[in-house]
Amino acid sequence: MSLQSQTLTVWSKVCFAIGGAPYQITGSALGFFLQIFLLDVALLDPLNASVILFVGRAWDAVTDPTVGFLVSRTPWTRHGRMMPWILISTTPAVMCYFLIWVVPPIEQGKMWWYLLFYCLFQTLQTCFHVPYSALTMFISTEQKERDSATAYRMTVEVLGTVVGTAIQGQIVGMANIPCINSTSLTNSSHHSMHGNNSQILLDSKRRAYMIASAVISLICVLCAVVLFFGVTEQDSDGLKAQKHVSFRRGLRLVMSHGPYVKLVLAFLFTSLAFMLMEGNFALFIKYTLGFREDFQNILLVIMLSATLTIPMWQWFLCRFGKKTAVYIGITWAVPFMIVVVCVNSNLFVSYIVSVAAGASVAAAFLLPWSMLPDVVDDFKVQNPTSQGHEAIFYSFYVFFTKFASGVSLGVSTLALSFAGYVPGVCVQSDSVNLTLKMLVSAAPVSLIALGLLIFKMYPINEERRQYNNKQLQLLLLQ
């Protein structure tokens, strides 16, 4: 079947979308729970935890361009160029993911355990996610079909974050550890008894994390199998016979393409904003708002709201354009980020804010991946003799978003360390609560404003998209 005449079936779109779930399932579990796991369950020093989170994500970011280059040099096989990467990386990736949530029976090398398996997992996940992201360009050349497939993908990926948040939160939530307060420390016998009970409950909590990670690992394997057997990778632009362009030349061409640079920079700052909020929201709910028993449910409400509003944003961007959708969708979260830190601790208000914030999270999920194919098309129109750089486009976007994630996790955990964060206590100091408020409100709002200012310079509007689509169709007919 020729790619230009292909209309994707609903089944193909669903299978393609399911392939994106593992990245978001594991990402939401790690994003929402890894920091609190390292601090309150593995009992690592906040400084060591910040090293793990930052180095792990920084290493992950560095591997993206490398994998992107290797994928672009991979010869065509009967399964395509992207699918072999996806298939081979799945099993070792889920094994490393499971070991991230295991507390080793050693105290001295505990930090190195988590750093090793976190870096290994991120590397293997990159070998899955970069080819999968670039696969968007190889399922159809039609913008409408790709946008539709991307909407399916984003719906399933946000649903994946719900699954990851639900599995991790609900299983772990069934094994709550009692916090330590000042009165429990005044009597030595009570303290000893409390310590024995706490150790038993801590072991139970650790088992709960392992069970949750095992369930998530199994789901990830099943999703990869569905993707492999449900989607056929198509030969685009004669890739079988394409001559390889050097990585340096390809990178120079990609990074000199103005629309791509502006899009990546804009979403770099908005992604950093949402990652700061995501990485610290569980601690904020647990300590600053005081909802120790409800934080996993509030996180789940955010992701459920995001899942339900993905179709609305897909309709909105088709009706009013992608640039308008960015301005409305991203700024929608700002008033709720402000409200949640300004009002007195109120569970009902927290749930209302979570529902509203979820809609903005959905926009932040959908829009970058919907707009990247437009940039690639624009590049192809302007450089018709230089093709096959899709993996570089996608890998460098993933590189910058992961770099933002590493910065957000490392800086926030380091900030909590300087503020005096104490693992396991019932009440944190005022300086810790103020730091958490800054990390989930003031800092994200400032980053969103900066990202949207850069986005104003993004040149691809609806007219240019339609023009590029017509030019590409003409090139395919030549």
Side-chain angles (χ1 to χ4, degrees):
M1 181 186 296
S2 64
L3 233 176
Q4 52 265 40
S5 64
Q6 182 187 30
T7 299
L8 294 176
T9 64
V10 172
W11 174 247
S12 294
K13 293 175 185 177
V14 169
C15 290
F16 171 71
I18 288 173
Y23 182 76
Q24 298 302 338
I25 292 173
T26 56
S28 64
L30 291 167
F32 281 126
F33 294 97
L34 183 58
Q35 184 183 48
I36 202 168
F37 169 80
L38 294 175
L39 293 173
D40 289 357
V41 179
L43 302 179
L44 288 178
D45 178 78
L47 184 60
N48 289 337
S50 70
V51 170
I52 293 168
L53 295 171
F54 177 74
V55 173
R57 296 301 283 182
W59 169 256
D60 183 28
V62 169
T63 61
D64 282 294
T66 305
V67 172
F69 167 68
L70 294 174
V71 169
S72 69
R73 303 280 291 188
T74 301
W76 185 271
T77 70
R78 65 190 181 95
H79 297 298
R81 281 199 311 178
M82 310 300 164
M83 285 297 187
W85 283 85
I86 292 169
L87 184 66
I88 293 170
S89 61
T90 299
T91 301
V94 296
M95 292 174 61
C96 290
Y97 175 79
F98 175 79
L99 291 171
I100 290 173
W101 302 101
V102 173
V103 179
I106 50 173
E107 197 62 37
Q108 252 345 78
K110 194 185 290 184
M111 187 193 84
W112 297 107
W113 170 282
Y114 291 114
L115 188 59
L116 171 65
F117 286 110
Y118 192 38
C119 289
L120 282 175
F121 168 71
Q122 299 290 11
T123 302
L124 291 163
Q125 188 186 50
T126 297
C127 293
F128 180 104
H129 189 61
V130 168
Y132 172 75
S133 299
L135 190 62
T136 307
M137 302 301 300
F138 298 96
I139 56 177
S140 178
T141 57
E142 292 287 339
Q143 286 183 354
K144 184 177 179 182
E145 291 297 317
R146 291 202 306 256
D147 286 347
S148 177
T150 299
Y152 275 79
R153 173 190 167 187
M154 291 302 107
T155 301
V156 172
E157 287 197 3
V158 177
L159 183 60
T161 66
V162 174
V163 172
T165 306
I167 291 173
Q168 196 82 6
Q170 299 305 311
I171 292 178
V172 169
M174 291 187 292
N176 279 319
I177 305 173
C179 58
I180 304 169
N181 55 46
S182 57
T183 58
S184 66
L185 300 176
T186 56
N187 185 291
S188 60
S189 62
H190 281 186
H191 178 50
S192 176
M193 190 179 301
H194 181 275
N196 292 333
N197 290 335
S198 293
Q199 185 58 48
I200 294 172
L201 290 168
L202 181 60
D203 291 338
S204 174
K205 191 80 165 181
R206 290 172 174 175
R207 282 193 297 272
Y209 271 100
M210 292 173 63
I211 292 169
S213 64
V215 173
I216 287 175
S217 297
L218 178 61
I219 293 173
C220 290
V221 172
L222 294 176
C223 290
V225 170
V226 170
L227 172 67
F228 185 78
F229 288 105
V231 176
T232 301
E233 183 180 346
Q234 303 291 328
D235 177 25
S236 175
D237 301 320
L239 285 175
K240 294 176 185 176
Q242 179 183 308
K243 293 181 179 179
H244 290 303
V245 177
S246 71
F247 178 71
R248 182 179 298 177
R249 173 171 167 75
L251 178 60
R252 187 166 60 247
L253 285 168
V254 167
M255 297 308 292
S256 63
H257 190 57
Y260 177 71
V261 173
K262 291 166 186 172
L263 184 73
V264 168
L265 281 177
F267 282 121
L268 170 66
F269 287 106
T270 57
S271 297
L272 181 55
F274 283 100
M275 288 172 185
L276 268 177
M277 188 178 72
E278 176 190 274
N280 295 281
F281 207 57
L283 291 172
F284 174 76
I285 296 168
K286 185 175 180 179
Y287 292 113
T288 306
L289 297 184
F291 302 132
R292 294 182 61 86
E293 307 297 325
D294 296 280
F295 78 91
Q296 65 267 21
N297 296 325
I298 294 174
L299 298 178
L300 184 58
V301 167
I302 293 175
M303 303 322 299
L304 279 172
S305 174
T307 303
L308 295 174
T309 50
I310 281 281
M312 180 198 75
W313 288 118
Q314 175 64 18
W315 169 85
F316 190 95
L317 68 86
C318 291
R319 177 68 178 82
F320 299 102
K322 296 181 181 181
K323 291 193 72 172
T324 304
V326 169
Y327 290 124
I328 301 297
I330 302 298
T331 56
W332 179 260
V334 171
F336 301 102
M337 289 179 178
I338 297 171
V339 166
V340 77
V341 300
C342 291
V343 299
N344 292 329
S345 181
N346 183 293
L347 187 59
F348 178 74
V349 171
S350 298
Y351 275 110
I352 294 297
V353 168
S354 299
V355 171
S360 200
V361 170
F365 264 91
L366 173 64
L367 292 166
W369 296 109
S370 180
M371 298 173 81
L372 272 172
D374 300 337
V375 174
V376 177
D377 285 345
D378 190 75
F379 178 85
K380 287 181 176 181
V381 169
Q382 295 187 27
N383 302 272
T385 61
S386 182
Q387 304 293 334
H389 305 307
E390 292 85 359
I392 298 177
F393 274 103
Y394 281 86
S395 64
F396 267 90
Y397 172 73
V398 176
F399 164 80
F400 285 116
T401 56
K402 287 182 178 179
F403 180 77
S405 176
V407 170
S408 68
L409 288 170
V411 169
S412 59
T413 310
L414 199 59
L416 290 173
S417 175
F418 289 141
Y421 179 88
V422 181
V425 299
C426 294
V427 180
Q428 296 289 345
S429 65
D430 290 341
S431 60
V432 170
N433 289 325
L434 177 61
T435 301
L436 287 170
K437 286 182 178 180
M438 296 290 289
L439 291 172
V440 302
S441 181
V445 168
S446 301
L447 290 166
I448 286 173
L450 184 56
L452 292 179
L453 282 174
I454 296 173
F455 190 76
K456 283 181 68 68
M457 297 182 289
Y458 178 69
I460 300 178
N461 52 26
E462 294 307 302
E463 290 76 14
R464 185 160 168 177
R465 285 183 64 233
Q466 295 303 322
Y467 170 78
N468 287 340
N469 187 39
K470 291 177 182 178
Q471 292 299 113
L472 286 173
Q473 294 302 319
L474 291 173
L475 287 172
L476 287 170
L477 293 174
Q478 292 178 359

